[in-house]
Amino acid sequence: MNKTPKINRLFLVTVIWILLSGIFLGFIPFVRSMDATQLMLLSQLLYLMPVIVFMIINKVDPRKWMPFKPLKLSVIAMVILYAVLMIPVTSWLNLLSMLFVRNAFESSQSELTQNALWVNMIVMAVIPPICEEFTFRGLYYNGYRQRGVWCAILGSALAFGLMHMNFNQFCYAFVPGIALGILLEATGSIFATMTAHFVVNGWSTALMAVSKLLYGTSAGSSSTSSGALTTQDMIGVINVYSVIAAICIFAAIGVLIWIAKHCGRYEHLKWCFKRREKRPGEPKTMFTPAFAVATVIVVIYMILRG
């Protein structure tokens, strides 16, 4: 089964489906009256629908497509540390993008802070990591893995970033998506990427609640928001985060090596970073016309959206 073209067609169909459903659902009074929490749950459902249809049509067995490998508690603890080290990098990318575009999530945060913490944890830190990792580090990753490890890592991360459909979130989804793909190779388990994703989203959710408690405002609308800081202030904050992010990247590499060794995949991880020649007739890329068209549609939408 040539999985990659099918996954790319799924990506194109999903992009069109999301855009069209957004247009048509906007005419339904019930949907227009939904609050931010309900809209986030609806968006996850909309993203999953093409995936479910794809799996039914192609008779996809999740147990064969996705590495549901149990993890030791010690490995889980180190995966959590790996995710914690990703947070400053994600924050740095978010701040850097905010020099050029608005914070896409900022408008929803004030409404979400009215929820109980446990509600936001479920909506923001539990459901999205499960759904998104199942889709991108599971289904997409397996489809691109036929074309090589780095096609899978970069392809799934690119699709993951583009599916957020705004430049701000693309910036801090694409790079962590690469980190999650490498983590998947280091552990051989999608549970690792779900855990790491949960930690990153959970941190943002908890920070939003703490900021609301201390300052009466969400973290996104406090001193780190583009609206509250001058460009010069932003650059100063970015410079500080640049140093912290660089230190965290080097620390994360050490943690990743530890994880790979304790999962018995250190040699495999080293192999992933070795250059090798393509075999004659082996596809050289995961890009197909369907992926190119989907990418163009998303980029045009992001430009028009601003």
Side-chain angles (χ1 to χ4, degrees), residues 29 96 113 140 212 271:
L96 192 64
T113 51
Y140 280 60
K212 174 69 175 179
W271 173 84

Side-chain angles (χ1 to χ4, degrees), residues 185-241:
E185 292 293 339
T187 60
S189 175
I190 198 171
F191 293 130
T193 65
M194 287 181 178
T195 301
H197 199 153
F198 165 77
V199 171
V200 174
N201 283 22
W203 169 262
S204 298
T205 305
L207 188 63
M208 188 171 65
V210 171
S211 180
K212 174 69 175 179
L213 182 65
L214 295 178
Y215 307 111
T217 182
S218 64
S221 58
S222 62
S223 61
T224 56
S225 78
S226 58
L229 294 176
T230 65
T231 301
Q232 194 64 36
D233 291 335
M234 286 285 289
I235 292 174
V237 174
I238 289 169
N239 287 337
V240 173
Y241 266 92

Side-chain angles (χ1 to χ4, degrees), residues 10 13 17 46-60 139:
L10 169 63
V13 168
W17 162 251
L46 291 174
Y47 278 114
L48 277 180
M49 288 176 68
V51 172
I52 294 170
V53 172
F54 175 88
M55 294 177 68
I56 293 173
I57 292 175
N58 292 279
K59 300 178 180 178
V60 172
L139 199 65

Side-chain angles (χ1 to χ4, degrees), residues 21-243:
S21 61
I23 294 172
F24 289 113
L25 289 175
F27 291 103
I28 301 176
F30 171 72
V31 176
R32 290 205 306 268
S33 64
M34 284 183 170
D35 59 25
T37 304
Q38 294 168 329
L39 288 173
M40 288 187 71
L41 292 173
L42 177 62
S43 68
Q44 291 297 320
L45 177 62
L46 291 174
Y47 278 114
L48 277 180
M49 288 176 68
V51 172
I52 294 170
V53 172
F54 175 88
M55 294 177 68
I56 293 173
I57 292 175
N58 292 279
K59 300 178 180 178
V60 172
D61 184 350
R63 294 169 298 178
K64 294 180 179 179
W65 277 60
M66 300 167 199
F68 294 109
K69 173 186 172 184
L71 297 172
K72 299 176 183 177
L73 288 177
S74 59
V75 172
I76 293 174
M78 294 301 280
V79 167
I80 292 173
L81 177 58
Y82 180 78
V84 169
L85 292 169
M86 285 171 52
I87 292 171
V89 180
T90 303
S91 298
W92 176 74
L93 291 166
N94 181 35
L95 288 167
L96 192 64
S97 70
M98 284 165 59
L99 287 175
F100 310 100
V101 295
R102 64 183 177 85
N103 187 324
F105 188 60
E106 193 173 47
S107 60
S108 302
Q109 287 185 335
S110 59
E111 189 173 344
L112 288 169
T113 51
Q114 305 307 313
N115 295 336
L117 177 59
W118 69 268
V119 173
N120 282 342
M121 278 291 179
I122 293 174
V123 173
M124 298 170 60
V126 175
I127 295 176
I130 292 173
C131 295
E132 291 170 4
E133 292 308 311
F134 182 88
T135 300
F136 295 103
R137 250 66 61 183
L139 199 65
Y140 280 60
Y141 198 95
N142 184 282
Y144 294 146
R145 193 65 167 72
Q146 285 185 325
R147 306 289 175 101
V149 171
W150 283 100
C151 277
I153 292 173
L154 296 175
S156 60
L158 182 57
F160 176 55
L162 288 171
M163 202 63 80
H164 285 78
M165 295 194 177
N166 64 78
F167 287 114
N168 174 242
Q169 288 181 300
F170 171 82
C171 293
Y172 63 82
F174 174 61
V175 175
I178 294 174
L180 291 173
I182 297 172
L183 179 64
L184 183 61
E185 292 293 339
T187 60
S189 175
I190 198 171
F191 293 130
T193 65
M194 287 181 178
T195 301
H197 199 153
F198 165 77
V199 171
V200 174
N201 283 22
W203 169 262
S204 298
T205 305
L207 188 63
M208 188 171 65
V210 171
S211 180
K212 174 69 175 179
L213 182 65
L214 295 178
Y215 307 111
T217 182
S218 64
S221 58
S222 62
S223 61
T224 56
S225 78
S226 58
L229 294 176
T230 65
T231 301
Q232 194 64 36
D233 291 335
M234 286 285 289
I235 292 174
V237 174
I238 289 169
N239 287 337
V240 173
Y241 266 92
S242 297
V243 176

